[in-house]
Amino acid sequence: MSTKQPDCLQCAMREHSIFAGLSSEDICQLGMDVHDIHVTAGTTIYHESDPAQYAYTLRQGGIKLVKSLANGHAQIVRLLHRGDLFGFEGLRSDQHRHSAIALTGTDLCRLELRALDALSQRLPAMREAIFARWQQALQEAEDRIVELGAKKADARLATFLCQWCIAYRQQRAAPFPLTRRDLGEFLGLSTEHVSRIMADFKRQGLLHEHKGQIEIPEPQKLLRHACSDDTSA
Amino acid sequence: MSTKQPDCLQCAMREHSIFAGLSSEDICQLGMDVHDIHVTAGTTIYHESDPAQYAYTLRQGGIKLVKSLANGHAQIVRLLHRGDLFGFEGLRSDQHRHSAIALTGTDLCRLELRALDALSQRLPAMREAIFARWQQALQEAEDRIVELGAKKADARLATFLCQWCIAYRQQRAAPFPLTRRDLGEFLGLSTEHVSRIMADFKRQGLLHEHKGQIEIPEPQKLLRHACSDDTSA
DNA sequence: GATCAACTTTGATAATTGTCAATGCAGACA
DNA sequence: TGTCTGCATTGACAATTATCAAAGTTGATC
């Protein structure tokens, strides 16, 4: 885990983060003890049930939030993208509710929860921003419940792949750092089953994969899998 | 749908609701146009994608929040209990994100979202209370994701039944207004499969059911089903 | 370039879960 | 009291998904 000296005022993420609209003085008050942390793929940033001390902003790379079960299964609760804030469930409880694991080499900012809390008490704009992210996380979680509860494996996978690629619409191909196992743990499926469905999609020309990137030539075609219940469609 | 005249100041729910700690004047400002609404079992209080105008407090009874899919399946996103606030996703979007349907005869309070919003802008305690509920809903949603993604049918059902009964710990038997179909739509299972597992639990003496009430004689025994992956345990 | 480890693919098989159809059961109501 | 309707149960069967095992691939490292 390597670190560099802070320069929040110049940070490229600043206006996309919960700190958008804050004055320079407020930013300086944040008390970020370490900025621009870099971790390698596979690093665990914090563990489920660790005492929560920091929240993080994802500047670059990918993170999975994972819960583990007594029966040996793991469930990825959320996947984080550039700009996402995470670890801030500690604002309301003193433990982390999941483990955070880097999917790729990843750049982070770390902030003390106490400082974040104090600042959000004082600055309505920031409280609003955190509130909004909480609300968005809830909406996404509810959508996941529907996916997991009411759709079959191929439909879940199709929906997920399309949504993933929408986030990278400008580029032809989207970076795709997830393993088959990650996909399985996110979608509630076995690694092998995911692998088979991916192979099917590729054979049907609905999906291309190359060097950690994926491309969906015609998203509508793939999405037909996502909605209908029978394979004939 | 029958209604009575307001008397928020005397309301038994008051101290359990987001309005706990508010002054009498503040309460009067709430602008609740209709209080103490009663609806019968099966009534749809609002529809998914309806324009969101009101939030509701559940005073008595049960509500399910449901999302419907193109493939004909329905998914119960959340089950609400006495004291829960619902419909307030409209604070951040102008449409409801699910349908709200009464499971039993149910008493509600209805409040205008605009008034709720205005009041929460003005009163930190109320904003905090709403914030806290949002956060709790997120935590519950994430727990549901784990249940749906990483557990088998009998484990999901066992966990759910135990949690349900915990809410009624003081009583020997808990009221249980859910049909097998409701259970299926909540747990992501077919009605028949739910029925079979329930019958199994009953045959094993892990569960008793009588006249819309259930009782779990030894929760630990049932919970052993909830955690392990094999039936031998 | 050889080796190693992790990831992926594929096949065979078993377990889980869904679907369809028939029957039973209980409450609502005329 | 009969009838009706919705819900629950059960069985038989089919579809979906998981598990286990064995190769194949790829990328990193020495």
Side-chain angles (χ1 to χ4, degrees):
Chain A
M1 180 156 108
S2 64
T3 62
K4 280 199 294 183
Q5 268 313 299
D7 192 357
C8 296
L9 300 179
Q10 314 298 323
C11 175
M13 292 314 306
R14 184 172 160 195
E15 287 309 311
H16 304 166
S17 74
I18 50 167
F19 308 118
L22 261 56
S23 71
S24 299
E25 296 89 60
D26 288 330
I27 292 277
C28 290
Q29 278 216 354
L30 253 179
M32 296 198 190
D33 53 342
V34 186
H35 308 243
D36 213 1
I37 300 174
H38 183 81
V39 300
T40 57
T43 306
T44 297
I45 295 146
Y46 55 78
H47 259 107
E48 197 173 349
S49 82
D50 273 356
Q53 194 177 356
Y54 303 105
Y56 302 83
T57 303
L58 175 51
R59 292 161 52 94
Q60 189 74 261
I63 301 279
K64 58 180 175 182
L65 301 183
V66 186
K67 282 194 189 227
S68 295
L69 263 77
N71 68 12
H73 283 248
Q75 178 69 37
I76 297 181
V77 170
R78 203 141 64 96
L79 288 168
L80 302 175
H81 301 274
R82 185 175 151 76
D84 281 337
L85 179 71
F86 65 102
F88 64 122
E89 70 272 14
L91 277 180
R92 303 237 144 222
S93 81
D94 38 8
Q95 294 191 173
H96 285 298
R97 286 211 312 265
H98 3 66
S99 303
I101 302 174
L103 295 167
T104 62
T106 292
D107 297 324
L108 306 169
C109 280
R110 185 170 88 178
L111 16 146
E112 283 215 39
L113 279 167
R114 255 185 279 173
L116 186 64
D117 195 25
L119 212 60
S120 84
Q121 301 281 345
R122 200 159 59 74
L123 300 169
M126 211 175 92
R127 186 173 41 233
E128 275 303 299
I130 294 178
F131 196 10
R133 271 154 212 262
W134 228 306
Q135 141 68 12
Q136 190 199 344
L138 176 58
Q139 171 156 0
E140 283 170 16
E142 290 185 344
D143 289 343
R144 297 269 323 280
I145 288 172
V146 176
E147 292 292 312
L148 292 171
K151 285 190 184 175
K152 292 200 288 201
D154 57 342
R156 279 182 235 170
L157 189 49
T159 309
F160 173 73
L161 292 171
C162 287
Q163 286 181 349
W164 182 274
C165 287
I166 283 171
Y168 297 89
R169 186 160 277 311
Q170 49 281 48
Q171 299 147 44
R172 267 184 66 82
F176 197 73
L178 300 170
T179 66
R180 299 293 188 256
R181 173 195 264 250
D182 287 330
L183 280 169
E185 290 181 352
F186 187 79
L187 299 170
L189 301 168
S190 69
T191 307
E192 295 92 333
H193 199 189
V194 171
S195 176
R196 277 183 247 267
I197 299 169
M198 290 289 278
D200 266 356
F201 285 167
K202 286 198 262 182
R203 272 189 287 269
Q204 294 178 49
L206 297 168
L207 175 70
H208 304 296
E209 199 179 16
H210 185 63
K211 297 254 178 200
Q213 302 221 317
I214 59 170
E215 189 191 340
I216 300 173
E218 295 163 283
Q220 309 97 331
K221 271 197 186 172
L222 191 53
L223 278 175
R224 276 216 287 277
H225 275 264
C227 298
S228 71
D229 232 354
D230 54 3
T231 340
S232 63
Chain B
M1 182 156 109
S2 63
T3 64
K4 279 198 294 182
Q5 269 313 299
D7 191 359
C8 296
L9 300 178
Q10 314 298 325
C11 175
M13 293 312 306
R14 183 170 161 196
E15 287 310 310
H16 304 166
S17 74
I18 51 169
F19 308 118
L22 261 56
S23 72
S24 299
E25 297 89 59
D26 290 329
I27 292 275
C28 291
Q29 279 216 352
L30 253 179
M32 295 197 190
D33 52 341
V34 187
H35 309 243
D36 213 1
I37 299 174
H38 184 81
V39 299
T40 57
T43 305
T44 297
I45 295 146
Y46 55 78
H47 259 108
E48 196 173 350
S49 83
D50 273 356
Q53 194 178 356
Y54 303 104
Y56 302 83
T57 304
L58 176 50
R59 292 161 52 95
Q60 188 74 263
I63 302 278
K64 57 181 175 182
L65 301 182
V66 186
K67 282 195 190 228
S68 295
L69 263 77
N71 68 13
H73 283 249
Q75 178 68 37
I76 297 181
V77 171
R78 204 141 65 96
L79 288 169
L80 303 175
H81 300 274
R82 186 174 149 78
D84 281 336
L85 180 71
F86 65 103
F88 63 121
E89 70 272 15
L91 277 179
R92 301 239 145 222
S93 80
D94 38 10
Q95 294 190 173
H96 284 298
R97 287 210 312 266
H98 5 65
S99 303
I101 302 173
L103 294 167
T104 61
T106 291
D107 297 325
L108 306 167
C109 281
R110 184 170 90 179
L111 15 146
E112 282 215 39
L113 279 166
R114 254 185 280 173
L116 186 65
D117 195 25
L119 212 61
S120 87
Q121 300 282 345
R122 200 158 61 72
L123 300 170
M126 211 173 93
R127 187 172 39 234
E128 276 303 300
I130 294 179
F131 197 12
R133 272 153 212 260
W134 226 306
Q135 141 68 11
Q136 190 200 343
L138 176 60
Q139 172 156 0
E140 284 170 14
E142 290 184 345
D143 289 342
R144 297 270 322 280
I145 288 172
V146 176
E147 292 292 312
L148 292 171
K151 285 190 184 174
K152 291 200 289 198
D154 57 343
R156 281 182 233 169
L157 189 49
T159 309
F160 172 73
L161 292 171
C162 286
Q163 286 181 349
W164 183 274
C165 286
I166 283 170
Y168 297 90
R169 186 158 277 311
Q170 47 283 47
Q171 298 147 46
R172 266 184 66 82
F176 197 73
L178 301 170
T179 65
R180 299 294 187 255
R181 173 196 264 249
D182 287 331
L183 280 169
E185 290 181 352
F186 188 79
L187 299 170
L189 301 168
S190 69
T191 308
E192 295 91 337
H193 199 192
V194 171
S195 177
R196 276 184 249 266
I197 299 168
M198 290 289 280
D200 266 358
F201 285 166
K202 285 198 262 182
R203 271 189 287 270
Q204 294 178 49
L206 297 168
L207 174 71
H208 303 295
E209 200 178 16
H210 186 63
K211 297 252 178 199
Q213 301 220 318
I214 60 171
E215 190 192 341
I216 301 173
E218 294 165 283
Q220 309 98 330
K221 271 197 186 172
L222 190 53
L223 278 174
R224 275 217 288 278
H225 276 264
C227 297
S228 71
D229 233 353
D230 54 2
T231 339
S232 62

